[in-house]
Amino acid sequence: TTTTKPAVPDKTYTLAEVALHNTPTDCLAAINGGVYDLAAWISKHPGGEKAILSLCGKDGSVAFNNQHGGQAKQEATLASFRIGDLAK
């Protein structure tokens, strides 16, 4: 039997694990309870690379919400990079 891969992998990360991925080539960020691999997005971000680089290895919820909270396009773009959930 073949199983379809879920859109969001069933993986949970601690903030300590996210913190280990803090470089431009290995950039994880926790945002609003999700964990996102943003390395591929750094060079494509319309607001410039620094905005994403500042989130690598961190909980970027406040920064993301202050800049993009409630904006459907940005929320959808972010969702496409989701790799799991932040441990509660």
Side-chain angles (χ1 to χ4, degrees), residues 1-76:
T1 55
T2 56
T3 55
T4 55
K5 188 177 174 192
V8 176
D10 189 19
K11 178 145 174 55
T12 302
Y13 297 82
T14 64
L15 204 49
E17 287 174 304
V18 171
L20 300 174
H21 304 273
N22 60 1
T23 69
T25 55
D26 182 18
C27 174
L28 296 188
I31 300 173
N32 299 331
V35 176
Y36 303 85
D37 182 347
L38 299 177
W41 182 239
I42 292 170
S43 64
K44 298 181 175 101
H45 185 254
E49 295 184 3
K50 284 184 180 177
I52 305 302
L53 289 171
S54 69
L55 305 179
C56 296
K58 299 185 179 129
D59 184 329
S61 300
V62 171
F64 180 83
N65 292 333
N66 284 347
Q67 189 68 34
H68 299 304
Q71 296 176 310
K73 182 180 178 195
Q74 288 81 353
E75 301 260 355

